[in-house]
Amino acid sequence: MAVLHEKLTHSIIGAFYSVHNTLGHGFLESIYAGAMHLELERLQIPFAIEREFPVTYRSRTIGTARLDLVVANAVVVELKAVRQIAGAHEAQLLNYLRASGLQVGLILNFGPRCTFRRMVWTGQQGIVDNGEP
């Protein structure tokens, strides 16, 4: 079975490990974000920083969602520097996928142990791919 945006997510996760292996644990999320920007540039992978998408309720815009990264107009990347990825982080990413209309998202956690989640929004539900690239 084909994995949606497999090659791209594999490259993003590789950049994540490169940043974590170089910087280690303990910095603020903004430091890791800056390093991810440089690593994605080095890999020549296009991305947008803090891209905004409208959030609608009953067909009316009620606010905007600001995403950490949108890579190659295909993958939402949410950066964290927390002890562990929580259900609230997964719910946040699924909401970002719904707001953006994109299907694939990654939570990259630069915590004590670097971890990630790959999630897919099917249009009806979110699926956690158990961290597989």
Side-chain angles (χ1 to χ4, degrees):
M1 182 177 192
V3 175
L4 191 59
H5 302 304
E6 180 177 17
K7 184 177 178 184
L8 179 58
T9 56
H10 183 65
S11 295
I12 297 166
I13 292 165
F16 162 63
Y17 280 117
S18 179
V19 168
H20 192 274
N21 289 341
T22 301
L23 293 179
H25 166 67
F27 288 105
L28 294 175
E29 182 182 305
S30 61
I31 298 297
Y32 295 112
M36 281 296 295
H37 302 162
L38 292 175
E39 192 64 21
L40 292 172
E41 285 176 358
R42 186 185 72 76
L43 296 170
Q44 299 181 337
I45 299 172
F47 63 95
I49 301 167
E50 293 190 1
R51 187 163 161 200
E52 292 184 352
F53 288 92
V55 177
T56 59
Y57 175 76
R58 296 184 186 243
S59 302
R60 294 183 66 186
T61 299
I62 58 170
T64 57
R66 184 175 291 141
L67 288 55
D68 288 344
L69 292 170
V70 176
V71 179
N73 285 318
V75 177
V76 173
V77 177
E78 183 63 19
L79 303 173
K80 299 292 180 195
V82 295
R83 186 160 186 72
Q84 64 184 29
I85 296 171
H89 302 132
E90 293 175 354
Q92 178 185 28
L93 180 59
L94 289 176
N95 284 333
Y96 287 170
L97 291 173
R98 287 188 355 204
S100 68
L102 299 174
Q103 292 180 282
V104 178
L106 294 169
I107 302 170
L108 305 179
N109 181 30
F110 294 92
R113 192 173 69 92
C114 62
T115 55
F116 67 91
R117 295 282 186 285
R118 183 181 190 281
M119 303 183 78
V120 176
W121 175 250
T122 67
Q124 295 179 348
Q125 66 177 345
I127 300 169
V128 178
D129 284 347
N130 296 321
E132 294 299 321

